[in-house]
Amino acid sequence: MRREAELHFLGRELGSVGVSGSRHDRGMTIPIVEELVLRTAARHGVPGPVAQELLVGSRPCLHLVAFQGLTLAQQEEARPAARTGGLPSLPDGVDWPDGRDPLVLTVDCAALPREALDIGLPSDGSLLFFTQIEYEPESSVVLHVPAGVRTTERSATYELDGEPEQVRVYQPDVLYPVPGLTVSPDWRDSPATSAFLDSGADRDDILDDFEDAVRKAAAGGASHGVAVQLGGFSSPWQSAPDEGDLVLLAQIHGQSIDHDVFTQTLIVGTRGDIAGRRYEALEFEQQV
């Protein structure tokens, strides 16, 4: 019980983290985060300088987790911030995006602990994500619907060449925000970490366990392996699309939308395009 309470406290406190810089210098230096990482390093036999290099190569994120993925302590304070599936509520004159991709995610921007992110998201309204998760999408769209705008729920049925058609509608499920920590894939190239890796055959496994433990502790013990992630570094199954000027907006595991879909959709863009709400410039990639 004491361990669960400690993890919950640390995960909650991560919500106040704010960092700045580029992909390779966004260091998580808030004292409570540093304490978490150093304490975890000591338990796993990882030297302090290696832990500090992980901190320098880290970025905050938000996990959007189903209720059953939260710890008991987190469930007591849970406040919803997003919904999978369902039908979109859109302003007058706005219809389903071209291609009629399914609505996979709706994010309530005002319900997010936005200070836990280092990318610029709207402070109110909803972000709607339309994409195919079962196979490579031909088109994908992110829309922002401002708060206070009159909206109407759109129908799943439409007509194509005189024939009735229906958009795929996924089962709605409520998601809850959990601040977390992600680590650059390049952090093990840092001097102290490289030297540690060269000092023994088991060092890779030790660092794997250490990194996993840090991420679990940062999320307060929540289960986020197949959740939706906003911001931070991606955890791709193949090559990472968040390279160069591109940063991650969202990472959506197919199983977080439909338990039978084993894909990963990664949505990236420049910091300027994300902050400026130029969502038409975003890039979508599906990995299987």
Side-chain angles (χ1 to χ4, degrees):
M1 182 63 69
R2 183 172 180 273
R3 176 65 179 156
E4 181 181 82
E6 177 187 45
L7 290 174
H8 170 63
F9 171 73
L10 290 168
R12 181 178 61 212
E13 288 298 315
L14 275 172
S16 63
V17 170
V19 293
S20 61
S22 67
R23 174 185 173 93
H24 299 290
D25 64 10
R26 287 186 172 267
M28 299 287 291
T29 56
I30 301 302
I32 195 165
V33 182
E34 184 172 9
E35 180 185 352
L36 178 154
V37 173
L38 292 176
R39 188 165 60 246
T40 306
R43 287 201 299 268
H44 286 79
V46 173
V50 175
Q52 292 289 349
E53 287 178 346
L54 179 142
L55 277 167
V56 170
S58 64
R59 285 183 55 207
C61 72
L62 279 175
H63 304 293
L64 299 179
V65 179
F67 190 78
Q68 61 268 25
L70 302 174
T71 65
L72 293 177
Q74 289 170 334
Q75 288 177 358
E76 292 178 1
E77 298 183 1
R79 298 292 183 272
R83 185 198 71 184
T84 64
L87 293 169
S89 291
L90 298 171
D92 295 346
V94 178
D95 201 354
W96 284 89
D98 292 343
R100 298 201 177 255
D101 291 316
L103 175 67
V104 296
L105 179 69
T106 301
V107 176
D108 179 358
C109 297
L112 297 177
R114 296 174 64 253
E115 67 278 6
L117 293 173
D118 61 4
I119 55 174
L121 295 186
S123 59
D124 60 28
S126 299
L127 281 178
L128 280 63
F129 293 77
F130 298 84
T131 190
Q132 294 283 353
I133 61 170
E134 295 179 343
Y135 48 84
E136 190 74 27
E138 294 182 4
S139 64
S140 301
V141 173
V142 174
L143 294 178
H144 176 241
V145 178
V149 173
R150 175 183 165 185
T151 62
T152 305
E153 185 176 270
R154 296 295 183 263
S155 171
T157 61
Y158 64 100
E159 191 174 286
L160 179 64
D161 297 329
E163 297 294 328
E165 299 285 347
Q166 180 158 331
V167 177
R168 173 66 188 267
V169 180
Y170 290 103
Q171 177 69 30
D173 193 10
V174 176
L175 301 179
Y176 300 83
V178 176
L181 188 67
T182 61
V183 181
S184 167
D186 302 330
W187 80 276
R188 298 190 189 196
D189 297 331
S190 303
T193 306
S194 294
F196 179 74
L197 285 169
D198 292 339
S199 66
D202 62 342
R203 298 303 192 249
D204 251 326
D205 292 337
I206 290 174
L207 290 187
D208 285 343
D209 292 342
F210 167 54
E211 185 175 333
D212 288 345
V214 166
R215 294 199 63 183
K216 183 175 182 179
S223 176
H224 60 270
V226 292
V228 175
Q229 177 183 312
L230 300 179
F233 291 109
S234 67
S235 300
W237 295 342
Q238 300 168 23
S239 59
D242 48 329
E243 290 285 350
D245 293 334
L246 298 177
V247 296
L248 186 73
L249 170 60
Q251 176 176 285
I252 303 172
H253 284 274
Q255 283 187 290
S256 65
I257 311 300
D258 183 322
H259 292 300
D260 296 323
V261 177
F262 299 90
T263 63
Q264 183 186 58
T265 300
L266 302 125
I267 307 167
V268 298
T270 67
R271 290 185 179 277
D273 285 338
I274 292 172
R277 306 182 192 180
R278 295 184 289 273
Y279 301 130
E280 70 282 357
L282 296 173
E283 299 179 17
F284 289 69
E285 179 178 315
Q286 187 184 98
Q287 298 186 4
V288 295

